[in-house]
Amino acid sequence: MGSVVRLTIERSRMTIFLLVVLVLAGVGVYFDQARQEDPEITIRKAQVVVRFPGLPPERVEKLLVQPIEEAIKTIPEVENIESMSMTGMGIIMPEVGDAYFDLAPIWADLRNKMDDLAPSLPQGTQGPMVNDDFGRVAVITLALTGDGFSPREFRWMAREMRDQLVNVPLVAKVDLYGIQDERIWLEFDPVRLNRIGMQPAVLISELQRRNVILPGGSVAASGMKIIIQPTGSFDTLDDIRGVPIPVSGGGTVYLGDLCEVRRGYVDPPKAPVLYNGRPAVVLALSMVANSNIAELARNVEAVMPGIRADLPLGMELSVINYQPDLVAEAVAGATENLFQTIGVVLVVVMVFLGWRTGLIVGTGIPLTVMVVLVGMSMWDVAIHRISIAAIIVALGLLVDNGIVMAEDIQRRLSLDPDRMKAATEAARSLAVPLLISSLTTVLAFLPLMLAENTSGEFLASLTQVVILALLGSWFLCISVIPAFCYWFLPAPAEGHGGEERPTGRAYVFYERILKAALRQRVLVVVAIFAAVAGSLVLMGGVKQRNMPPSERNQFTISLSLPAGSEVAETMRVAGRLADFLSDSERNPEITGNVAYIASGGPRFFLALQPPDPLENSAFLVVNVRDYAEMTGVMERVEDYMAEQLPEARGRTETLFLGASPIGTVEVQITGPDVAALQVLSEKVLDVYRAVPGVIGLRSDWENPVLSVRVEVDQELATRAGLSSESIARTLSATLDGYGVSEFREGENVIPLLVRSHGGSRTTLDELRSVEFYSDALGTSVSLPQVAKLRGVVEPSIIRRLDQKRTVTIAARHPDMSSMDLYRALQPGLDAIDLPEGYALAPAGEVVDSAESQGELFKYAPHCLLGILALLILQFNTFRDPLLVMSTIPLILVGSVLGLLAFNAHFEFPALLGIFSLAGILINNSIVMIDRINQERAEGVSVREAVVSAALIRVRPIIITTTTTVVGLIPLALLGGEFWYAMSIVIMCGLAVGTLMTLFFVPVTYSLLHPERAA
């Protein structure tokens, strides 16, 4: 490597030119590279929806969901299948294994299998329909509101806006929520129809026969082909009213005399939306994958003035969620932390090394950052909090390389004033040790990148940036740093030639303690490992969770009414809550809220899966001025729901970065029988209730609901000239509305539905009065004359996991972590007597945390083996590599003490800190052992070599530790909750671990290398 240094120095103009190009390229990448709030992860779920109106949940499960699950199970890439069966609808969600990233062919296979299955499903089934955009994130959501406008006007304006926005560059898709489709309602009076001897089926048949668009053929006349176009479709509402309907006994009557024909909207409302308590339509914009969100924001903002100008007077367009601002804020905050850390590191380095040497070493930091930015562009790594924080984590290691190189050159200059010789020989002697130490650190971080789960995907960029930073730093340290030392390092002072062992009070103090430790070597080693064992015991008292919460100034509210509640009732209750949230006097911190009724709305946050579309539920998103104010607002909202919404259950949650809500403990019960599952569910609920303070207790099967079964007596129905089909069609037309045809108005196609007037659909007693005209008897027959009405209690929803019926019970405790709460529940859960064929298991954060950590450590043995191989390659012995590896457990002592002292959680980012610590301590050990071996190569005894090397290497090790610890203070104090635990682990673990290493490595080395007789 000496030739590289010589070339760098001798071709100084080219060196300066390349450095300027590097800086310009790095700055250019910083402003042009794609930006994100957090790394993208692949949502490996799709959604299959199948409908059969009126079919009860158990029959939906048996006739529709089970065949679909069996077909999906044949797709080898699918790992899990979740499903839910509700009245008239089934939703099946297949999830692909974490090892797969190219999902397009898998979803194509899913579509093909659903197409093949569709003909075998019961006649009348709608679907199955595949939604493979389930993981698409809406980066911008807008609310269209206005007083005095009809749903039709809202729909027209929203579609006009969608057509404009979807053509904006980088906008992939615009989804609409809260649209209320139009309907043409034909509402009849059942009593009047029966009086003239007519059934609703006759109306349905006549309308279907008359409103048609069919070809009439063609005529060849005089060599010309003339197309025949018969009329028959409805063009106006009067055309519908004027349809002649034949009556029994002869004659006709116009439809308008039998029915009220009116134009209206879907009833009940379909997934309505409220923004600040007002009816709204939401537009959700998603972005083209791997695009620059800042550029998308510029494109959207360019067209927004024109869109707003086209809005009718009184209609408003408001921003609900604007991710470009959140991304800019997150990146700006992380960048500010980076600059603060760099500034602190430079100050510390200059304090220890002097201003000139400190600047030389410090210059390597921004240059390395430029290398990292260029490498990120080539590796398609976006700029986000994780990639920027990775640079901060690596700063200590980057400084270490520069310090070691600069100090070695200084030492050589003190022996020989030949600058070129000092620079080239330092680079030649340190290139391999520094490369080995960098590669060992890379291997320490590699398990994060190799983890085959979403956590590994989320943190892959961290490992990529660390690789770029370490290798870039290594190259700069063997080329640019020696050149800078050649050009700018001051000449050694008079009288310092040949002085190698440092002097000073601190060195004398360290030497005295080290020699005392060498006299009690076994005792020191035993004491250190006893401290490690003690930290493992103390680890049981550390609070644990999978991931920290997101620090967005948003929280969500899940509102549930009893199963079976109508959408209109859910909307009424959600409206009361939305009005409370919108009250600026009672909630001045809230800047806006949106409520999605019977719908989860768009996926506006990557980790958040929208709730299930249940008619009895609403999902609200609340924006707050500042994240610090959220806890108080959430408590106020919880109190309001408990006091003012007794008919509903509601809970607030912050946004979370993991797969499950933070602190929530889920218990899953699987088994074949619905009744037995419900009994077991009650037992599990009682176990939860026995823990004081548990909140948000719920079952995902909700409460059973009452339904009425119409058991047709086939013999009596046949005598009356009725069939099960005609009875079902009449009941459907009387109660819900029966689709009979379509009304075409330009590009709009509006369904025509026949139903009875409102008074016939409000009570169960009205069901007994439904009558059917019998041609055979010449009179009307009531429903009880041909059928029995039987009330049954059945599940409102049946959920399945991997083709087994599964009930999930969930709750959290405000003062307990999920692990603590699960430990409190475990004795009661273990006491439940499970029948054969039933199982009970934890789920949610408890399992996710264990699985994430398992995946992280899955490849740890492989990486440790690689580290060991590199160390054996460097030292050409087994003892020294084993000594280096034995320093890794030392990181636990300070880490555990720090987590306990600063009340931090052991979570995923803290685990990152553990990996980072391992790399730093391995580096420190390598540097010290390498120096010991150099001393011994000069013929010095083991004890003298150990003491001399320790004194020479203590300063760079202390500087590295100090710069890392002090440099992380801004991240710990200002970086937010995501980085708090990681910063604490690195700062405390490194401080204590370095102190122990300064004694453990010399002492253990002397034990492994006993003095030999001459």
Side-chain angles (χ1 to χ4, degrees), residues 183-235:
R183 295 288 186 268
I184 304 296
W185 292 106
L186 285 64
E187 296 180 333
F188 61 85
D189 183 348
V191 176
R192 186 175 182 185
L193 285 188
N194 285 317
R195 191 181 301 131
I196 63 173
M198 183 177 294
Q199 293 189 50
V202 176
L203 298 179
I204 294 170
S205 176
E206 286 297 321
L207 286 167
Q208 289 175 335
R209 286 193 307 111
R210 293 181 183 275
N211 187 35
V212 296
I213 300 177
L214 292 173
S218 61
V219 174
S222 302
M224 299 293 293
K225 183 177 181 181
I226 301 173
I227 304 299
I228 308 301
Q229 297 180 352
T231 62
S233 61
F234 299 139
D235 297 323

Side-chain angles (χ1 to χ4, degrees), residues 436-488:
I436 294 295
S437 65
S438 297
L439 291 177
T440 54
T441 306
V442 167
L443 286 171
F445 277 92
L446 205 56
L448 306 179
M449 186 174 173
L450 297 178
E452 294 179 348
N453 64 351
T454 53
S455 299
E457 190 176 357
F458 185 80
L459 293 168
S461 58
L462 186 141
T463 303
Q464 291 171 304
V465 171
V466 168
I467 291 173
L468 292 170
L470 291 176
L471 296 184
S473 171
W474 172 79
F475 182 76
L476 291 173
C477 279
I478 63 166
S479 57
V480 177
I481 297 299
F484 283 176
C485 289
Y486 176 86
W487 291 327
F488 305 116

Side-chain angles (χ1 to χ4, degrees), residues 803-850:
Q803 298 179 278
K804 295 179 181 178
R805 287 175 169 171
T806 304
V807 181
T808 301
I809 310 297
R812 66 182 180 89
H813 196 290
D815 301 321
M816 290 185 184
S817 68
S818 57
M819 289 299 300
D820 292 337
L821 178 55
Y822 183 69
R823 281 193 284 266
L825 295 171
Q826 201 158 13
L829 296 175
D830 292 340
I832 295 176
D833 185 20
L834 295 173
E836 186 177 353
Y838 294 81
L840 189 150
E845 189 182 18
V846 174
V847 174
D848 293 338
S849 179

Side-chain angles (χ1 to χ4, degrees), residues 409 420 569:
I409 293 174
M420 181 65 76
E569 177 64 11

Side-chain angles (χ1 to χ4, degrees), residues 48 68 71 107-121 127-130:
V48 180
I68 292 174
W107 300 147
D109 189 15
L110 175 63
R111 290 179 186 278
N112 292 336
K113 290 190 180 298
M114 294 301 99
D115 291 341
D116 294 341
L117 178 67
S120 63
L121 296 177
M129 297 162 284
V130 177

Side-chain angles (χ1 to χ4, degrees), residues 60-133:
V60 168
E61 176 194 32
K62 182 177 181 180
L63 299 177
L64 305 179
V65 170
Q66 287 185 9
I68 292 174
E69 287 179 340
E70 290 169 3
I72 292 174
K73 197 63 179 176
T74 62
I75 301 175
E77 297 88 352
V78 171
E79 193 169 89
N80 299 310
I81 304 174
E82 297 178 31
S83 68
M84 50 189 295
S85 303
M86 303 167 285
T87 299
M89 182 170 69
I91 299 177
I92 304 94
M93 289 190 293
E95 183 176 13
V96 172
D98 291 328
Y100 301 98
F101 292 89
D102 185 10
L103 302 182
I106 301 174
W107 300 147
D109 189 15
L110 175 63
R111 290 179 186 278
N112 292 336
K113 290 190 180 298
M114 294 301 99
D115 291 341
D116 294 341
L117 178 67
S120 63
L121 296 177
Q123 187 177 1
T125 300
Q126 302 171 11
M129 297 162 284
V130 177
N131 173 19
D132 58 7
D133 271 346

Side-chain angles (χ1 to χ4, degrees), residues 161-174:
M161 293 172 58
R162 179 186 62 185
D163 292 343
Q164 294 181 59
L165 290 170
V166 80
N167 290 314
V168 172
L170 301 186
V171 173
K173 190 177 182 182
V174 179

